[in-house]
Amino acid sequence: MRTRYSARLLVIAPTNKVLLFKFCHKAGALAGQEYWATPGGGLEHGETFEVAAVRELREETGFEMHPPETHIAQRRFVMQLPEGEYVMAEERYFVVRTANTNIQDIYWTEHEKQVVSEYKWWSIDELNVTSDTVWPEELVSWLLSAVNSD
């Protein structure tokens, strides 16, 4: 099983709300699955996690940032891709503070345009009570850590 390395982002607004995208898969191996997840994606050939974090933030939100110095969390798990392949996902999560909450989708791929149905800025309270699926499961504790470290 190959490893898929990903940089993911906890994009936090001044209100301490975190940005999540809603993914609705209508076709392929993940058809019927709906969940909320942080922005981010796979590393391209030769990229570091930090460089991928900058690129993914720009591609998925239109926001710019300097390469982060360190990640807040990481996780490793088996994941199924939309094409059906199972991979060992290795993700690192980076915190991004932003005053801008207007998402731009001009850099989205065709696949992202098909599966991302909406975005929302979530409060910790909303995350604690939602019945929606939210990934990663550790998001609230990581968000609390990020907010309390300021």
Side-chain angles (χ1 to χ4, degrees):
M1 179 180 305
R2 75 178 176 95
T3 300
R4 181 181 186 267
Y5 300 96
S6 297
R8 305 212 60 89
L9 302 142
L10 299 185
V11 182
I12 304 172
T15 58
N16 289 329
K17 291 185 176 185
V18 65
L19 174 65
L20 298 178
F21 291 114
K22 185 173 186 179
F23 291 83
C24 297
H25 295 275
K26 298 175 183 79
L30 303 180
Q33 292 189 32
E34 291 187 8
Y35 53 88
W36 292 90
T38 60
L43 274 62
E44 294 181 355
H45 181 72
E47 275 187 325
T48 63
F49 284 96
E50 294 78 10
V51 169
V54 172
R55 178 183 51 76
E56 287 291 340
L57 181 68
R58 183 183 63 254
E59 289 176 359
E60 296 191 2
T61 67
F63 302 164
E64 298 286 341
M65 70 181 251
H66 295 289
E69 293 182 19
T70 187
H71 55 280
I72 191 173
Q74 65 185 47
R75 64 187 197 134
R76 187 174 167 86
F77 60 98
V78 175
M79 177 177 86
Q80 186 178 24
L81 299 176
E83 303 80 28
E85 178 187 8
Y86 285 91
V87 296
M88 179 58 67
E90 186 169 312
E91 300 177 336
R92 291 190 189 168
Y93 287 77
F94 299 90
V95 173
V96 179
R97 290 279 187 180
T98 183
N100 184 0
T101 57
N102 297 315
I103 303 303
Q104 298 176 30
D105 61 5
I106 58 174
Y107 299 112
W108 285 14
T109 65
E110 282 306 311
H111 177 72
E112 289 166 336
K113 290 176 185 177
Q114 291 172 7
V115 298
V116 177
S117 65
E118 62 181 297
Y119 71 89
K120 178 180 172 179
W121 294 90
W122 290 73
S123 71
I124 292 170
D125 290 341
E126 290 171 321
L127 289 167
N128 278 326
V129 299
T130 187
S131 60
D132 291 354
T133 301
V134 176
W135 299 112
E137 294 172 333
E138 306 90 347
L139 180 60
V140 170
S141 64
W142 295 346
L143 185 55
L144 283 168
S145 177
V147 168
N148 291 330
S149 69
D150 292 341

